[in-house]
Structure formats: structure tokens, C-alpha cells
Amino acid sequence: MKTVRVMKIVSNDETHLRSLDELMRVFGSAKRYAFNRLLEGRNAKDLIQHLLRQFQLNKRYAEDAVLLAQSLISSQRELLPMRLEDVQAKIEKTEKKIDDYQHGRKTPKKVDLQTCLDELHRRLEKWKSKEDELKHHLDQGTIPRVIFGGKQNFYKRLKGKITNEEWKDLRSNQLYEKVWVIRS
């Protein structure tokens, strides 16, 4: 049985915090590596041994990295049918809106009718494309791409709204969350 302890680190020594940051970075890398190798079909036990050597982790961290990667894959597989249902509901809702606007049951408030219909048709195409993608994943037994650190944060990084350091922190904060206390 594994025990998880919640602790508060109180230290003015930057070396302790840097070594903890380095441990988090290595653990996050090991988890992402394990995730990708499991998707390729590698055996979990062999992968644990490989992580021990590759990332110079102890056995507990290597096992946890593989376990977290496995749980992420299984949760993505379980969520796939629900995501497909959500997309299909959005398609139905969009088709109903198009029908309501075309038959005069609704009128657009901010733009003209043609602009509104064009936007609804674009949205419908987007959702149908997403539906096809999710159906493909279900048929193939695969999962959609996973972005470690969050999709929104990934796009923020691409647009330059967050720094590379902030992006790396978001991807690595698996063991503890940094809390800065400013005393006056």
C-alpha cells in the first residue's frame, strides 16, 4: 500500500526548492514518456525498468509515472463515448437553430439573417468534423491527442501570453503547487 502525505515546505533555502523543481520536472517527463510508450503498446513492467535507468528515478516514482499514464489513457477511453454524445447533442442543437432561423421561428438580434446562417453552418461543419474524429478514435481503439499542461495554456504559450518557463511549470507541477508568500 502506498501512503501519500500532505506536507508544507517551509524553507528559505533556494537549493531545496530547485532540487524539488528538478524532481518534478523529471517526474513529469517520465510520465509523458510512459504515456507515449504505453500508447505504442509497450509493456508496463518493462517500461518501469526502462524509466528507472532513463530518468534515474527510484522505483516508486517510476511505478507512479506508469500508473498515472495508464490511468490517463483509461480515463480518455472511458470519456470518449461521452464526448461523442456531447458533440452529437451540439450538432442537433445547431441543426435546430438553423431550421428555426430558416423558417422564421427565430430572428437574429445582432446580425443579419445570412450572416447568422453562415456562422451556424460553419459551426455545424466544425462539430461534424469533431464527430468524425471521435468516431474514428472509437473505431480504431485510440484516444484523441492529450496536451500535458492544458490545452488553453498550450495556446496561450503559442500566442506568447505566457512564457516558456510558465509553460514548463504548468507541465511539471505534479508533486506540489508553488505558493509564494510575501511578507511585509
Side-chain angles (χ1 to χ4, degrees):
M1 178 193 333
K2 293 183 180 184
T3 305
V4 176
R5 292 193 177 120
V6 177
M7 295 193 269
K8 182 177 183 179
I9 299 171
V10 180
S11 175
N12 292 330
D13 188 4
E14 283 293 317
T15 58
H16 290 117
L17 295 176
R18 269 191 245 115
S19 63
L20 192 54
D21 279 343
E22 178 63 15
L23 175 62
M24 285 185 3
R25 186 192 64 75
V26 171
F27 179 75
S29 296
K31 184 175 81 168
R32 292 189 298 271
Y33 182 86
F35 176 83
N36 289 319
R37 298 304 81 77
L38 288 170
L39 286 180
E40 292 171 359
R42 296 265 305 262
N43 181 355
K45 288 189 178 192
D46 296 338
L47 190 54
I48 290 170
Q49 294 303 315
H50 182 73
L51 291 178
L52 289 170
R53 292 186 305 274
Q54 175 90 16
F55 292 94
Q56 297 168 354
L57 293 171
N58 65 26
K59 189 170 183 183
R60 162 99 188 239
Y61 284 125
E63 287 174 350
D64 285 352
V66 171
L67 186 65
L68 286 171
Q70 286 174 325
S71 65
L72 182 58
I73 291 169
S74 66
S75 69
Q76 289 294 311
R77 285 198 172 115
E78 287 175 22
L79 288 173
L80 202 53
M82 288 183 269
R83 290 176 67 186
L84 182 60
E85 287 176 18
D86 289 345
V87 167
Q88 289 170 338
K90 289 176 182 180
I91 288 172
E92 288 177 24
K93 184 178 176 182
T94 305
E95 286 173 339
K96 185 182 180 325
K97 278 186 178 182
I98 290 171
D99 187 55
D100 287 347
Y101 282 120
Q102 285 178 336
H103 291 93
R105 291 187 288 271
K106 273 187 164 184
T107 56
K109 295 180 178 137
K110 296 183 181 179
V111 294
D112 63 291
L113 180 62
Q114 191 57 45
T115 306
C116 180
L117 287 173
D118 290 343
E119 180 57 37
L120 285 171
H121 282 291
R122 272 194 294 277
R123 188 182 307 168
L124 184 61
E125 287 176 29
K126 179 184 101 172
W127 289 124
K128 285 188 177 186
S129 170
K130 186 70 174 174
E131 179 187 35
D132 291 341
E133 176 190 339
L134 293 173
K135 281 182 179 179
H136 176 75
H137 285 297
L138 268 176
D139 294 341
Q140 300 296 315
T142 59
I143 60 172
R145 294 189 64 123
V146 173
I147 299 175
F148 292 91
K151 184 177 179 180
Q152 288 179 337
N153 295 324
F154 175 72
Y155 288 116
K156 283 180 186 177
R157 175 64 195 123
L158 288 179
K159 293 175 184 174
K161 293 182 179 178
I162 60 175
T163 65
N164 197 37
E165 186 64 33
E166 290 170 320
W167 169 244
K168 286 180 180 179
D169 279 347
L170 289 167
R171 287 171 59 98
S172 297
N173 281 344
Q174 299 295 316
L175 296 176
Y176 79 98
E177 183 174 330
K178 292 179 186 175
V179 178
W180 301 102
V181 178
I182 300 173
R183 294 188 179 135
S184 52

